[in-house]
Amino acid sequence: MAGLTAPLLGLERKSLREQALSALRTAITSGELEPGRHLVETELSEMLQISRGTLREALRQLEQEGLLSAGPRGRLSVRHLDEKEIRDIYAVRAALESLAARTLCELPDRQQVTESLHKAVDAMDAAANGTLEERIESDLEFHRTLCRLTGNETLLHSWESLEGSIRMSIMFAGLEKGVSNMSVDRHKDIVAAIDTGDATLARKTILEHMDTAAANLVA
Amino acid sequence: MAGLTAPLLGLERKSLREQALSALRTAITSGELEPGRHLVETELSEMLQISRGTLREALRQLEQEGLLSAGPRGRLSVRHLDEKEIRDIYAVRAALESLAARTLCELPDRQQVTESLHKAVDAMDAAANGTLEERIESDLEFHRTLCRLTGNETLLHSWESLEGSIRMSIMFAGLEKGVSNMSVDRHKDIVAAIDTGDATLARKTILEHMDTAAANLVA
DNA sequence: CATAAGTCGACTGTTTACAGTCGGTAGTGG
DNA sequence: CCACTACCGACTGTAAACAGTCGACTTATG
């Protein structure tokens, strides 16, 4: 955990709080802060080189994202996911993304959508031989794009609130398991289904994708 | 807005931050702080009788709940919803609650579920002649119960993250419009559908309910 | 030896005061 | 009228402090 990098190095435009937020998110979803780990404010603030006040704002946000769980007396620790919780998270994720797929099919101007999705899949292709982290990243970026393209800000926001939990699920399940459902082909199927404009088909394809993904994680 | 009550009056076990949180949530969803209103930290902290630091933690949380929107340089203001956003919110809400309905149908022990839902509907019946606020409250409580009974904490959490936006939608649309879709009968239909155990029917009933609710709000 | 009481330390909750920054606004002089 | 300056309001971030609480440890006592 000594490697929690100073937040100062990034772009100067982000507030310290946001920098701390990403640093902590990364630390947690990368396993640097292992599940169940107890977090001490003074320790973290010193480690991140920010004041306790600023840190606490970031912690509140992480708590609401489901990356931290609160114990008695405000004690925070890194959330630990069991298999049921992973299934639950993926059920919600499936509900959100199937809404996204359906919405995309019903959009008037689908040219832009098709184009962006193909670009996202291409990015996955490019990352296919990269590190595991790169593949996870491009995978999540694809699904985030799916939500963003709907133009439904609330949908995107809800998905992003879940993103941390999704990352933890993948991490918790052990990286080996998580790989199989990140195949580029399955995502091409999704894009193809959306391209047809058949909302029912698109929805079904996404749901199946989520099902196998969740099944792989808890297998 | 002078009526923002001191947060000290509630139960003593809640932290000041939580008290401020509910006070602000209430103030916003009740319209005491009107949409678009610019929030000044020092003003609010003085009004709520809490320090800026504590207040800021609460503001972060409200921001993530979608009740506040951030302008340039961290400027916060009460979020303003247009009709598209209300439709978007209800689309996400429908996705979540239809998942809830489906999940409830597939639950092994449905005795408890049926019982709790009937109690929630009874509460709506009891509130039917009460104030508009009481009716909204019992309505939301019904839908929250729907999500809670699934046992899917993530689903409940996602729904609760949306609750503030839902309240704003109802408020923004003008209370008159919002009343029609709060009829107890429609909710009895939902319970009945879930009682049959037919997931498809339950899902369809919820989706229709959400559709008409959203249509009423933006009509 | 077991237990009850007292003490200490670690944390969190919260407040206060202060430094720095940025943008808008009011004067002020040309 | 325009440009420059000075100032003010508001936000971000920081540092230092104090209270309350709870667990662990110690100690006295029967």
Side-chain angles (χ1 to χ4, degrees), chain B residues 39-41 52 56 74:
Chain B
L39 298 181
V40 178
E41 294 183 357
R52 255 187 63 225
R56 283 170 61 104

Side-chain angles (χ1 to χ4, degrees), chain B residues 190-212:
Chain B
I190 295 174
V191 177
I194 292 175
D195 277 350
T196 68
D198 182 343
T200 310
L201 173 63
R203 186 169 170 278
K204 188 161 151 279
T205 309
I206 279 276
L207 289 180
E208 276 171 10
H209 179 60
M210 288 296 120
D211 253 13
T212 49

Side-chain angles (χ1 to χ4, degrees), chain A residues 56-193:
Chain A
R56 282 171 62 98
E57 289 184 49
L59 290 180
R60 286 293 153 270
Q61 219 155 326
L62 290 173
E63 193 183 347
Q64 200 147 22
E65 283 179 29
L67 268 65
L68 303 180
S69 61
R73 279 194 322 287
R75 234 82 165 190
L76 291 179
S77 51
V78 178
R79 186 175 170 200
H80 176 85
L81 298 178
D82 60 24
E83 297 203 346
K84 174 181 184 311
E85 286 174 301
I86 293 181
R87 269 191 296 269
D88 284 352
I89 289 167
Y90 268 72
V92 175
R93 182 184 174 184
L96 293 177
E97 295 201 21
S98 70
L99 168 62
R102 188 164 58 78
T103 306
L104 288 178
C105 286
E106 291 161 356
L107 237 44
D109 176 23
R110 310 242 313 293
Q111 182 58 41
Q112 169 70 19
V113 170
T114 298
E115 197 174 306
S116 299
L117 285 182
H118 277 285
K119 237 170 41 186
V121 171
D122 288 346
M124 291 189 69
D125 253 331
N129 294 323
T131 69
L132 181 59
E133 210 172 64
E134 286 169 350
R135 283 190 288 162
I136 294 178
E137 220 50 52
S138 67
D139 178 42
L140 288 176
E141 178 56 30
F142 172 84
H143 291 278
R144 190 186 302 109
T145 301
L146 210 64
C147 294
R148 182 170 31 234
L149 289 172
T150 63
N152 184 335
E153 285 295 323
T154 302
L155 173 56
L156 177 60
H157 187 266
S158 292
W159 189 90
E160 283 177 339
S161 297
L162 209 59
E163 184 176 350
S165 297
I166 296 171
R167 291 186 126 96
M168 284 199 76
S169 298
I170 296 174
M171 181 198 74
F172 173 80
L175 290 328
E176 333 75 50
K177 293 184 191 170
V179 181
S180 50
N181 51 287
M182 253 173 290
S183 97
V184 182
D185 285 341
R186 296 199 125 278
H187 291 79
K188 283 181 177 156
D189 291 345
I190 295 173
V191 177

Side-chain angles (χ1 to χ4, degrees), chain A residues 14-17 49-54 73:
Chain A
K14 288 208 296 184
S15 67
L16 286 186
R17 171 175 46 84
Q49 304 273 9
I50 62 176
S51 70
R52 257 182 80 209
T54 306
R73 279 194 322 287

